[in-house]
Amino acid sequence: MKTLRPAAPAAHQILSIVTFLSTQRGPAAAASVAAALGLPRSTVYRLLGVLVEHGYAIHYPEAQRYGVGIAAFELSSGFTRQEPLARLGAPILATLVDKIGESAHLAVLNGRDVVYLVEERAPHRPALITDVGVRLPSHVTASGRALLATLPAAQLRALFPNAEAFTVRTARDAYSLRDLRAVLATVRANGFAAEDEDVTEGLASVAVAVRDHSGWPAAGIAVTFPRDHIDPERWPDLAGEIRHYADELSRRIRGATA
Amino acid sequence: MKTLRPAAPAAHQILSIVTFLSTQRGPAAAASVAAALGLPRSTVYRLLGVLVEHGYAIHYPEAQRYGVGIAAFELSSGFTRQEPLARLGAPILATLVDKIGESAHLAVLNGRDVVYLVEERAPHRPALITDVGVRLPSHVTASGRALLATLPAAQLRALFPNAEAFTVRTARDAYSLRDLRAVLATVRANGFAAEDEDVTEGLASVAVAVRDHSGWPAAGIAVTFPRDHIDPERWPDLAGEIRHYADELSRRIRGATA
DNA sequence: ATTAACAGTCTCACATACGAGACACCGGAT
DNA sequence: ATCCGGTGTCTCGTATGTGAGACTGTTAAT
């Protein structure tokens, strides 16, 4: 096999190293990295140094081991980025909840997951799985579906390249990309996303996406309620309500994009 | 005071690029990457190519943008690593729950969070926040504390370098590293970790760590119960029970480490 | 004390990866 | 039609990053 042309050894190697570190149960010795990847010792030390500098690896001197650094984890948690969104979203969610009397969330897409940034619980409503900071597989949640539905096909494929991407969680969401695409097609057709006891028994949710100035989905707003409180026929109306607030948030985001 | 010599430009740059991509709200244009980081165009394209190859970036051709790839997210979700753990842990949890009649989980440490891999709910017990796949800040959960307590001081410091590391979630867990260290000290003294309404009102948990062959904490087993069911005086006994099963899992892990 | 194994640092000659810049392409204005 | 601003590709000379290996320091075994 050729494809020799565009090489950048240091770049390749450093990515191999982080990947390797992340597959190890705990921190790994420099030598084992070198052995596993077939790299020269001096190179490994140099690159580990760079990784540590950037926070993608941590060196534990007493153990003489190297582990994955917090920068690597922050690639996916990025709360800094989301904090303004949460600040802008919270008051809007509050009025939304006041108006309709059911609980609501604000969530963002993060890899294949959604992360919940704000939760506003309506009075006399059950506690929800989705506390702030919780992360759930996007394809089973209403806000996740609302967000996924806005993505181009290519990206969807990239996010869920194989069946494995769907597995692991509970048994009940045995999905395929084909299934997901069907679900998202109805989302686009309806103009809103829903989830009916896919997350918690007895609860359903309706969600819409909030777009930023470039049209990209910045967040999702979902309302969750006991499923027998609102007839499915009325979900589109509910979605309409939500969209009103989503648009408001959308407007505020555009203003505040630093 | 410069550490002049040991540079590896491609390595530095590629890390800067992923970091940059992750700070952008949505995907970014190659040109904006070059501009933001002050890098030559050809270099940026080459490195983006490498990132895409490794799955750390995705290229959206129709949008002509580059975004963070799933490999980056998998750095922290590392389910590959955890799947065997879940397989081995599930039957053990089942017998544990049978024996003591309360719900239990298996969780692993992941950056500053714990991720729940297995949940075994006891009959007639309330549903829990911690469904499978859910992620919570480690320092407020029992299993998280059990795991954190086994880490060397240096790593703890590395995980929680500043006050910010603790923030963001709910207001009630306004922690400092000092506080956390105190909590972990009692965990070590008691030989088990506990959590009393720190996650959900009315519920408490007791947890112990499962160590792998190198002594590293591989997972935590926690039992969660209505807090008035079990008197705090009896928590140590409960912890003893759990430890029995933790040791069993520990033994199985050692055998199965591929 | 001696040896050995291993972590981490440093140097230096040479192969080669880097980056300037040219080129091709595409879509939107005019 | 022609221009223009933009993305992505490719080439090629040379500055420079790479990696073999020597060196230091530490721990553990004999």
Side-chain angles (χ1 to χ4, degrees):
Chain A
M1 52 175 58
K2 325 56 248 279
T3 171
L4 276 285
R5 314 201 217 55
H12 268 102
Q13 293 162 355
I14 208 159
L15 294 182
S16 306
I17 293 178
V18 260
T19 307
F20 174 77
L21 287 181
S22 79
T23 62
Q24 295 301 102
R25 182 99 58 195
S32 74
V33 175
L37 304 177
L39 297 174
R41 275 161 33 76
S42 33
T43 301
V44 168
Y45 279 109
R46 194 193 354 256
L47 295 179
L48 282 174
V50 175
L51 282 173
V52 169
E53 253 179 74
H54 282 253
Y56 282 90
I58 322 180
H59 183 210
Y60 305 115
E62 61 272 14
Q64 301 189 133
R65 297 279 128 102
Y66 295 82
V68 178
I70 39 162
F73 295 107
E74 287 179 344
L75 272 186
S76 21
S77 58
F79 264 102
T80 37
R81 196 181 351 156
Q82 299 162 358
E83 186 261 331
L85 234 180
R87 244 190 17 251
L88 292 171
I92 294 184
L93 272 202
T95 48
L96 168 61
V97 168
D98 260 11
K99 180 97 181 288
I100 62 178
E102 301 285 353
S103 305
H105 318 100
L106 184 70
V108 297
L109 197 55
N110 196 245
R112 284 193 281 260
D113 297 339
V114 283
V115 176
Y116 289 86
L117 299 185
V118 182
E119 170 186 308
E120 186 70 30
R121 190 161 140 205
H124 310 89
R125 287 293 176 280
L128 303 165
I129 267 194
T130 46
D131 205 349
V132 170
V134 160
R135 175 181 291 258
L136 289 173
S138 57
H139 66 284
V140 301
T141 67
S143 19
R145 287 171 182 168
L147 290 166
L148 292 177
T150 66
L151 299 180
Q155 175 167 21
L156 204 64
R157 213 178 311 115
L159 284 176
F160 299 92
N162 49 43
E164 248 185 274
F166 295 97
T167 65
V168 195
R169 322 290 174 144
T170 63
R172 67 173 171 276
D173 50 282
Y175 251 65
S176 71
L177 183 52
R178 168 188 296 272
D179 297 336
L180 180 58
R181 273 202 268 248
V183 169
L184 298 184
T186 53
V187 168
R188 278 185 288 263
N190 294 340
F192 68 91
E195 157 276 313
D196 192 359
E197 296 196 303
D198 289 318
V199 178
T200 306
E201 282 180 42
L203 297 182
S205 310
V206 168
V208 306
V210 177
R211 290 167 183 269
D212 69 13
H213 53 319
S214 68
W216 256 79
I221 297 185
V223 169
T224 300
F225 47 87
R227 68 186 305 274
D228 49 353
H229 273 214
I230 305 184
D231 191 275
E233 281 179 20
R234 290 184 40 228
W235 290 6
D237 301 343
L238 175 56
E241 281 286 3
I242 304 176
R243 172 157 317 283
H244 172 72
Y245 291 91
D247 290 344
E248 174 59 24
L249 179 54
S250 193
R251 227 169 297 126
R252 297 206 195 170
I253 287 176
R254 285 165 227 244
T257 309
Chain B
M1 35 107 56
K2 292 86 222 285
T3 42
L4 295 301
R5 297 289 58 115
H12 268 103
Q13 293 162 354
I14 209 161
L15 294 182
S16 306
I17 293 177
V18 259
T19 306
F20 174 79
L21 288 181
S22 80
T23 63
Q24 296 302 101
R25 181 101 57 195
S32 74
V33 174
L37 303 176
L39 296 174
R41 272 164 34 77
S42 32
T43 301
V44 168
Y45 279 108
R46 185 179 15 243
L47 295 180
L48 282 174
V50 175
L51 282 173
V52 169
E53 252 179 73
H54 283 253
Y56 282 89
I58 322 181
H59 183 211
Y60 306 118
E62 59 272 14
Q64 302 189 131
R65 295 279 127 102
Y66 294 82
V68 179
I70 35 160
F73 295 106
E74 288 180 342
L75 272 185
S76 15
S77 56
F79 266 100
T80 35
R81 195 183 350 160
Q82 300 162 1
E83 185 261 334
L85 234 179
R87 245 191 14 251
L88 292 170
I92 294 185
L93 272 201
T95 48
L96 168 62
V97 168
D98 259 12
K99 180 95 181 289
I100 62 180
E102 300 285 353
S103 303
H105 318 101
L106 185 71
V108 296
L109 196 55
N110 197 248
R112 286 193 279 261
D113 297 338
V114 283
V115 176
Y116 290 85
L117 299 185
V118 182
E119 169 185 311
E120 186 70 31
R121 189 160 140 206
H124 312 90
R125 288 294 178 279
L128 303 164
I129 266 192
T130 46
D131 204 350
V132 170
V134 161
R135 173 180 294 257
L136 290 173
S138 57
H139 64 285
V140 301
T141 67
S143 20
R145 288 171 180 168
L147 290 165
L148 292 176
T150 66
L151 300 180
Q155 177 167 18
L156 201 65
R157 215 178 310 118
L159 283 176
F160 299 92
N162 49 43
E164 248 186 277
F166 295 98
T167 65
V168 198
R169 321 291 173 147
T170 63
R172 66 174 172 276
D173 50 283
Y175 251 65
S176 70
L177 183 51
R178 170 189 296 271
D179 297 336
L180 180 57
R181 274 202 268 249
V183 169
L184 298 185
T186 53
V187 168
R188 278 184 290 262
N190 293 341
F192 69 91
E195 158 274 313
D196 192 358
E197 297 197 303
D198 290 318
V199 178
T200 305
E201 283 180 42
L203 297 182
S205 309
V206 168
V208 305
V210 176
R211 291 167 183 269
D212 70 11
H213 54 316
S214 68
W216 257 77
I221 297 185
V223 169
T224 299
F225 47 87
R227 69 187 303 276
D228 50 352
H229 272 215
I230 304 185
D231 191 273
E233 281 180 20
R234 288 183 40 229
W235 290 5
D237 300 344
L238 174 56
E241 282 286 4
I242 303 174
R243 172 157 315 285
H244 173 72
Y245 291 92
D247 289 344
E248 173 60 24
L249 179 52
S250 192
R251 225 169 298 125
R252 296 205 194 170
I253 287 175
R254 284 167 227 242
T257 310

